[in-house]
Amino acid sequence: MFRDLFENIEKAFKKLFENRILVLGFVLVPLAVLLFVRLFQLQIVRGNDYYEDYMNMTRKEVPIAAMRGNIYDRNGILLAGNRVVYSITISDENYYTKSDGEFNEMLLRLIEVLDRFGLEPERSIPVSVDEKGAYYFEGSTSAIRRFIRDVYGTERIALLQEQGKDPYSYDAETVMKYLMTGYYNFTKKWAGASEVSELNALKICNIRYSLSSVSFTRYLSSTVVKDVSQEVQAAILESQGNLAGVQVEESYERVYYNSECFSSILGYVGSITTEEIEELNASGGDYSAGDVIGKEGIENAYESYLQGNKGKKVIYVNNVGIVMQEEVIEEPEQGNDIYLSIDANMTIAAYNVMEQQLAGVVVNHLYPGTDYDPDVAYEKSEYLLPIRDVYFQMINNEILSMQKLAEGDALSVGRTMDHTMKNRKAEVISELKEYLETKSTEPLDSMDEYMQAYVTYLASYMSDAGYLVSSRIDTESDAYTRWKSHAISFPTYITEALKAGWCDLSTIDDSERYNTVDACYEFLVQILLEELESSYGEFDKLIYDELIHTEVITGCDVAIALSEQGVINIDESYITRLKNGDNDTAYNFFKDRITSMEITPAQIALDPCSAGLVLTDPNTGELLSVVSYPGYDANQINDSAYYSKLLKDQSSPLYSRATQSRLAPGSTFKMITATAALEGGYLQADETINCAGIFDKLDHPRCWIYRLQNGEHGDLDVVHALGQSCNCFFYELGYRFSLNGDGLYSPTTGINVLTEYAKMYGFGELTGIETSENVSTLTTELPVTSAIGQGTNAFTTISLARYVTALASSGNVYEFKLLNHIEDGSGNTILSYTPKITNYLDFSDSTWNLIHEGMYTVVHEGGSRNGDFDNLRYDYAAKSGSAQENRKRPEHGLYVTYGPYDDISYAMAVQVPNGYSAGNAALIANALYEYLEGDITLEEILENSASSGSVNDILD
């Protein structure tokens, strides 16, 4: 029975398992239960945890740049603001592989679109391409070194330096090759690499280098071209199917108003560097690659206030990193607004009167003839500006582009000039080739002046290129001294330099081939001839110099070429006159254009071409105007071509004549000497000193009245000595300072007295202004001549302004700041500045009264300015100063002044480097006083042409 039961059970189970559905059910049901439990755990128990983890993998936070704060003058006039622009940007969103060049191919398609509109990617690396397709560095030394460091990395640079190599000395070709092959896939893996032109390769590198700066923040875009038109935007959008990752984005661009007038104080903004990120974040900043920061001036000094607070947006990407959605979660906050102490209209007026006065000086010193002998002029201090020097400066200062001359229409005057230059250049190179290869022994001084210039250029090139190492040269050797005196030939000098080991030929690959002096000489000749063949460089300028000064290229040619390049506008009838004109036609043309300032002193870049002015309120210590001429357009500063031109500009617009330029103060120093004499007991208030024209102690220096008029001042007290700017009077004081306790002359004793009182007025230390500033240096020798502002004194305009402010206020030496106050977005003042008195000069009332009276006498009562300002309807006090630091250039002109005398509102310092006379600095002050007193409006100033006034006589 049991057996039957078991058999039935066995049959039942057998039948059961033979039912596939039922078996499947036994398998699936437990699995379903497990799946349900797992889903319950994922969705209900730990759903939030897993959701957050998922979102962290696909949700990325990206910063949004804040709009920069505005900068205003004291009256609320906008100096620097922002405007909305549309820019082409690119971001790395994994659309393309890079190893096979797919990404580079996309960039070429983008470049092709930009080329249709004449646009180029923003330059992020300091490299350009010449007409032969060769790469060369172009930019500041710091930018080039930073680029090389980024390409090679600090560790590799250190390793190479240990091996005796210096990557910082590599040429652009070497660095670019390393960059392209090592980083940007210009290799065999990219089949199209060999077909890409050098120019397009550079454009690709610029885009990728800029993009690499934000590589640590994925999905942050990099700007390719700023501020594009609607047509360009449409073209990019139409091509987006082939330009994945390229977008048109709205952003803000910094805008500067009347930029040239304010550039020296406002500075400019630019893209942040790696070093700047580290430095700013170390002091509490929130900066990352791609940010724009202040680089100079107020923009830099108050960066933390102007920058604003970044916003945030969230982007969601798919599993391959492509952006699917984005959302703003925090709006950016605009930066704070800066209000400066300066008056915008005063500054604009000052800048323009400086330019007009400089133009007047240039016009009044133009010399039309061909018989000007600079050696005779230097000897007699009768400096003039030969008109042919002006013609040449149009090329030398790159107002005329040599490259554009070559690219002109076949019938253009510019193209003819280029052909003439190249023909002459070929002749010169042929002559130099023979001169070098035959190892000519013809001394340099026996060659004509132009061949001397060409050979001197070769010597300079050897030094600049590092082939001739100055530190190795024995300056006492016969070869060197004879070369400096032009008594031997260049081939002889180089041969001797090779023998003496002054040359460095370590860059030669085949060292065995160049193991003798003759072989090394041949190598150098080859290098020099290759350099001469390059186009549009300094050697070409020398050729133009010869052609212009020998009248092969005329002033009329230069004038027409200026018109062809759009530098100036000339109607067709005048062009016809120029084509048929002579020397007088060209001279009158340029004289008229300089007078109307269509051609500016800065463009000519001959003496004088620059000036600095600082205006203060001596009652409060506020800076009302800080001006440097020439300025630059900060709106274009980030354009590589424009910045490169600024670096080459011979008028040095990036250098502030208000805060950086240091000149010997000349007779403006005499109030310091008077102070030391009166306060130190070296001179009594009513004491007189006799001026016989020649100081009869020491080396017998002369007074200006003897030098110019063979005269003398006679007996003078300190008031009239200041008024007449009598040198002998102050020589005597300098001598008295230098007598030690034994009554013996001790220069150190005298220097100590002068520097002690100069330091009281703030010289020898910074004024405190927020922009780049040099320290005024104090004299270290010759106390007698230092007492009249010579010696080794060298003062900035702003330090002279602090000095004259102290004089005007009878003792208040201020710390200078441009800041007035800072406001947040709601108009609340979050920081303000009140000028601080860093030193109070507690001198006697008698000393102050005598100095004030002496400075008043300068302008009145037939003082040293000889009544130049008799037309003014108000009183002021002043002191002029002239100083010569180079016998081959005109004297500097300086002027310090305050007024009106009975109700002092202003103190001012003006410097005109190589300005011929202190009177020309004084005329600038005069013109600005007329504006300040309401005798002329700003509109009238802006309509004026070159000043008709110019002072040549030096009466101090």
Side-chain angles (χ1 to χ4, degrees):
M1 181 179 69
F2 286 104
R3 184 178 181 181
D4 292 340
L5 178 62
F6 282 120
E7 287 178 353
N8 289 334
I9 292 173
E10 183 181 2
K11 289 179 181 179
F13 273 101
K14 188 175 182 181
K15 186 175 181 181
L16 180 65
F17 283 102
E18 286 177 350
N19 188 328
R20 296 179 180 178
I21 295 176
L22 187 60
V23 173
L24 185 61
F26 276 117
V27 175
L28 293 179
V29 167
L31 291 174
V33 172
L34 289 172
L35 180 61
F36 174 78
V37 172
R38 184 61 177 161
L39 287 173
F40 182 82
Q41 185 181 33
L42 290 172
Q43 296 289 331
I44 306 301
V45 178
R46 298 188 61 194
N48 287 335
D49 293 340
Y50 284 112
Y51 178 74
E52 289 180 7
D53 289 342
Y54 170 75
M55 292 306 293
N56 284 337
M57 287 190 295
T58 61
R59 179 180 183 273
K60 308 289 182 182
E61 284 192 0
V62 177
I64 304 173
M67 186 163 65
R68 201 166 177 82
N70 297 321
I71 303 176
Y72 299 91
D73 86 329
R74 66 188 296 116
N75 301 311
I77 296 176
L78 183 62
L79 305 179
N82 309 280
R83 70 184 180 98
V84 176
V85 297
Y86 292 91
S87 303
I88 300 172
T89 65
I90 186 171
S91 56
D92 185 1
E93 298 178 5
N94 286 342
Y95 288 110
Y96 304 98
T97 60
K98 297 184 176 66
S99 61
D100 62 358
E102 189 179 21
F103 187 53
N104 288 345
E105 290 289 350
M106 185 277 290
L107 295 179
L108 283 173
R109 293 194 292 272
L110 172 59
I111 290 168
E112 183 180 348
V113 175
L114 298 179
D115 285 344
R116 296 208 312 259
F117 296 93
L119 298 174
E120 293 189 3
E122 289 196 349
R123 192 174 87 156
S124 57
I125 58 180
V127 175
S128 294
V129 182
D130 65 21
E131 72 284 354
K132 295 181 179 179
Y135 295 112
Y136 64 94
F137 286 124
E138 186 173 50
S140 66
T141 301
S142 60
I144 293 169
R145 289 181 65 87
R146 185 166 53 245
F147 170 61
I148 293 173
R149 186 170 62 249
D150 288 347
V151 172
Y152 287 90
T154 53
E155 292 184 3
R156 176 166 172 76
I157 287 176
L159 179 61
L160 289 169
Q161 288 175 335
E162 288 177 6
Q163 299 170 356
K165 301 175 183 178
D166 182 13
Y168 292 119
S169 68
Y170 290 174
D171 60 22
E173 287 280 345
T174 302
V175 178
M176 286 297 294
K177 182 179 179 181
Y178 186 83
L179 177 68
M180 290 190 289
T181 57
Y183 293 92
Y184 296 156
N185 318 105
F186 284 74
T187 64
K188 293 180 180 179
K189 291 184 178 180
W190 176 25
S194 61
E195 303 298 323
V196 180
S197 69
E198 288 80 2
L199 182 58
N200 281 343
L202 179 60
K203 292 178 181 179
I204 291 173
C205 290
N206 270 305
I207 297 172
R208 293 196 62 172
Y209 187 83
S210 178
L211 191 57
S212 68
S213 68
V214 296
S215 60
F216 295 105
T217 309
R218 287 285 302 279
Y219 310 108
L220 192 63
S221 60
S222 172
T223 300
V224 179
V225 183
K226 284 183 180 177
D227 193 15
V228 296
S229 65
Q230 291 184 346
E231 290 79 9
V232 177
Q233 296 174 43
I236 292 296
L237 295 174
E238 289 170 3
S239 305
Q240 272 198 313
N242 295 319
L243 301 174
V246 178
Q247 303 175 53
V248 176
E249 292 186 6
E250 179 182 287
S251 61
Y252 298 101
E253 183 177 63
R254 200 61 162 164
V255 180
Y256 299 94
Y257 302 92
N258 290 294
S259 178
E260 289 189 349
C261 301
F262 302 102
S263 57
S264 65
I265 59 171
L266 295 184
Y268 55 90
V269 297
S271 298
I272 196 168
T273 65
T274 303
E275 294 86 348
E276 288 167 337
I277 292 174
E278 295 174 356
E279 180 183 346
L280 290 169
N281 287 348
S283 42
D286 178 23
Y287 292 88
S288 56
D291 286 348
V292 170
I293 63 168
K295 294 288 187 175
E296 294 287 346
I298 291 298
E299 293 279 24
N300 175 263
Y302 295 103
E303 166 62 28
S304 60
Y305 291 96
L306 289 165
Q307 182 68 19
N309 296 317
K310 294 179 181 178
K312 294 180 183 178
K313 68 178 178 180
V314 175
I315 62 173
Y316 299 92
V317 298
N318 63 15
N319 62 333
V320 293
I322 295 176
V323 177
M324 306 301 293
Q325 181 183 349
E326 63 179 60
E327 174 188 355
V328 176
I329 60 171
E330 184 179 335
E331 294 288 348
E333 295 180 12
Q334 182 174 353
N336 301 296
D337 293 335
I338 305 286
Y339 286 80
L340 303 181
S341 63
I342 66 167
D343 184 298
N345 290 336
M346 286 183 189
T347 302
I348 295 169
Y351 185 90
N352 281 274
V353 298
M354 283 197 296
E355 183 173 57
Q356 290 161 11
Q357 181 59 36
L358 292 175
V361 177
V362 170
V363 167
N364 289 334
H365 288 83
L366 285 178
Y367 183 71
T370 61
D371 57 346
Y372 179 73
D373 187 338
D375 293 329
V376 174
Y378 300 151
E379 186 65 29
K380 295 182 177 180
S381 296
E382 295 175 352
Y383 306 92
L384 294 172
L385 297 176
I387 191 63
R388 290 180 190 173
D389 288 356
V390 176
Y391 302 156
F392 173 58
Q393 281 300 103
M394 296 299 99
I395 291 174
N396 193 34
N397 202 29
E398 300 189 11
I399 308 305
L400 271 177
S401 165
M402 291 189 291
Q403 188 165 352
K404 288 182 180 179
L405 292 175
E407 296 170 352
D409 180 84
L411 298 179
S412 68
V413 170
R415 177 68 73 84
T416 301
M417 288 171 59
D418 179 70
H419 285 169
T420 303
M421 185 275 292
K422 287 178 178 174
N423 289 336
R424 176 56 184 155
K425 179 179 178 179
E427 294 173 354
V428 172
I429 291 176
S430 178
E431 292 178 43
L432 289 173
K433 184 173 185 292
E434 181 179 2
Y435 174 76
L436 294 170
E437 291 181 343
T438 60
K439 295 186 179 181
S440 172
T441 58
E442 180 183 3
L444 187 64
D445 59 8
S446 68
M447 307 175 80
D448 70 55
E449 61 176 305
Y450 298 110
M451 287 304 294
Q452 285 190 40
Y454 300 139
V455 171
T456 302
Y457 171 80
L458 295 178
S460 298
Y461 173 76
M462 279 195 58
S463 296
D464 294 341
Y467 294 114
L468 187 61
V469 184
S470 59
S471 60
R472 297 184 184 180
I473 297 174
D474 179 3
T475 56
E476 302 298 323
S477 66
D478 179 67
Y480 180 78
T481 54
R482 293 179 66 204
W483 168 250
K484 294 303 290 183
S485 63
H486 298 177
I488 61 172
S489 72
F490 179 66
T492 302
Y493 175 58
I494 294 304
T495 300
E496 293 300 318
L498 287 166
K499 291 178 181 178
W502 301 344
C503 296
D504 180 7
L505 305 183
S506 59
T507 57
I508 303 173
D509 294 328
D510 190 355
S511 57
E512 293 183 0
R513 179 181 174 187
Y514 300 107
N515 58 2
T516 67
V517 170
D518 287 342
C520 290
Y521 180 85
E522 290 174 4
F523 167 78
L524 289 174
V525 169
Q526 177 186 343
I527 291 296
L528 291 172
L529 292 176
E530 288 175 358
E531 162 62 18
L532 296 180
E533 290 288 354
S534 62
S535 297
Y536 314 124
E538 294 303 310
F539 184 67
D540 286 9
K541 290 181 179 179
L542 292 178
I543 301 293
Y544 272 115
D545 187 19
E546 176 188 347
L547 294 172
I548 288 172
H549 282 88
T550 56
E551 295 188 87
V552 176
I553 292 176
T554 68
C556 291
D557 294 333
V558 174
I560 296 171
L562 287 168
S563 175
E564 291 175 345
Q565 292 192 12
V567 178
I568 54 179
N569 295 317
I570 311 176
D571 60 39
E572 287 299 324
S573 62
Y574 207 130
I575 288 177
T576 301
R577 285 177 57 193
L578 288 168
K579 287 181 177 179
N580 299 320
D582 55 14
N583 289 334
D584 288 341
T585 308
Y587 171 80
N588 290 325
F589 171 87
F590 275 89
K591 183 176 181 180
D592 290 345
R593 292 309 182 278
I594 298 169
T595 300
S596 65
M597 292 189 304
E598 293 173 78
I599 298 174
T600 66
Q603 290 176 314
I604 297 169
L606 296 172
D607 296 331
C609 65
S610 62
L613 181 149
V614 177
L615 178 70
T616 75
D617 181 344
N619 300 300
T620 64
E622 291 177 290
L623 291 169
L624 300 179
S625 187
V626 179
V627 196
S628 175
Y629 177 88
Y632 58 87
D633 185 358
N635 296 300
Q636 300 184 62
I637 197 72
N638 290 302
D639 177 86
S640 59
Y642 180 73
Y643 185 68
S644 177
K645 187 173 182 180
L646 290 180
L647 291 176
K648 297 176 183 177
D649 194 324
Q650 295 174 9
S651 67
S652 302
L654 293 171
Y655 188 73
S656 173
R657 270 59 176 209
T659 62
Q660 293 176 294
S661 177
R662 291 180 288 204
L663 305 179
S667 293
T668 61
F669 189 89
K670 288 175 179 175
M671 284 79 75
I672 296 175
T673 304
T675 301
L678 293 166
E679 289 294 304
Y682 298 93
L683 180 75
Q684 300 303 309
D686 58 353
E687 183 180 353
T688 62
I689 294 175
N690 181 263
C691 168
I694 298 177
F695 184 61
D696 60 0
K697 300 170 184 176
L698 300 178
D699 55 354
H700 303 291
R702 299 176 299 171
C703 187
W704 65 263
I705 196 171
Y706 183 86
R707 185 178 71 250
L708 295 179
Q709 302 172 10
N710 200 30
E712 59 185 54
H713 283 116
D715 292 336
L716 294 174
D717 59 18
V718 68
V719 169
H720 292 90
L722 284 171
Q724 295 296 325
S725 198
C726 175
N727 288 342
C728 285
F729 185 97
F730 291 95
Y731 288 148
E732 172 61 24
L733 295 182
Y735 183 78
R736 292 180 183 183
F737 298 158
S738 304
L739 298 178
N740 62 21
D742 296 326
L744 299 176
Y745 177 74
S746 169
T748 301
T749 302
I751 291 298
N752 289 341
V753 173
L754 288 171
T755 56
E756 176 189 356
Y757 280 88
K759 287 178 180 178
M760 290 182 186
Y761 281 102
F763 294 109
E765 61 183 30
L766 296 173
T767 67
I769 192 170
E770 302 94 327
T771 64
S772 297
E773 177 186 8
N774 283 327
V775 176
S776 292
T777 57
L778 300 173
T779 189
T780 58
E781 60 186 24
L782 305 174
V784 170
T785 52
S786 293
I788 68 164
Q790 299 291 335
T792 56
N793 287 305
F795 295 170
T796 60
T797 312
I798 196 165
S799 66
L800 285 169
R802 177 164 62 175
Y803 164 52
V804 72
T805 300
L807 292 170
S809 62
S810 297
N812 293 334
V813 180
Y814 287 98
E815 175 189 59
F816 281 156
K817 295 289 182 188
L818 288 160
L819 179 69
N820 183 285
H821 70 280
I822 302 176
E823 293 183 2
D824 64 16
S826 300
N828 301 310
T829 298
I830 60 174
L831 180 68
S832 62
Y833 177 76
T834 301
K836 301 173 184 176
I837 298 174
T838 60
N839 187 30
Y840 175 68
L841 305 179
D842 191 17
F843 300 151
S844 68
D845 289 343
S846 172
T847 294
W848 287 123
N849 291 336
L850 291 171
I851 290 175
H852 292 322
E853 188 178 348
M855 293 181 68
Y856 185 82
T857 304
V858 170
V859 183
H860 305 79
E861 303 179 18
S864 65
R865 290 275 47 87
N866 267 355
D868 284 329
F869 312 125
D870 290 344
N871 61 322
L872 296 181
R873 294 189 291 275
Y874 43 87
D875 289 340
Y876 66 96
K879 185 71 192 78
S880 59
S882 300
Q884 189 167 44
E885 296 184 277
N886 185 336
R887 283 292 308 277
K888 293 192 174 183
R889 301 180 69 179
E891 294 189 342
H892 305 309
L894 303 96
Y895 201 65
V896 294
T897 174
Y898 60 84
Y901 192 72
D902 293 328
D903 183 20
I904 299 174
S905 302
Y906 307 107
M908 189 189 326
V910 183
Q911 286 191 350
V912 184
N914 306 113
Y916 284 87
S917 166
N920 291 321
L923 289 173
I924 291 173
N926 174 25
L928 188 57
Y929 268 123
E930 290 184 307
Y931 168 75
L932 296 174
E933 293 298 322
D935 292 342
I936 188 172
T937 66
L938 179 59
E939 290 72 21
E940 290 172 326
I941 289 175
L942 296 178
E943 292 174 358
N944 281 345
S945 56
S947 170
S948 58
S950 177
V951 177
N952 294 319
D953 291 337
I954 302 170
L955 307 181
D956 50 35

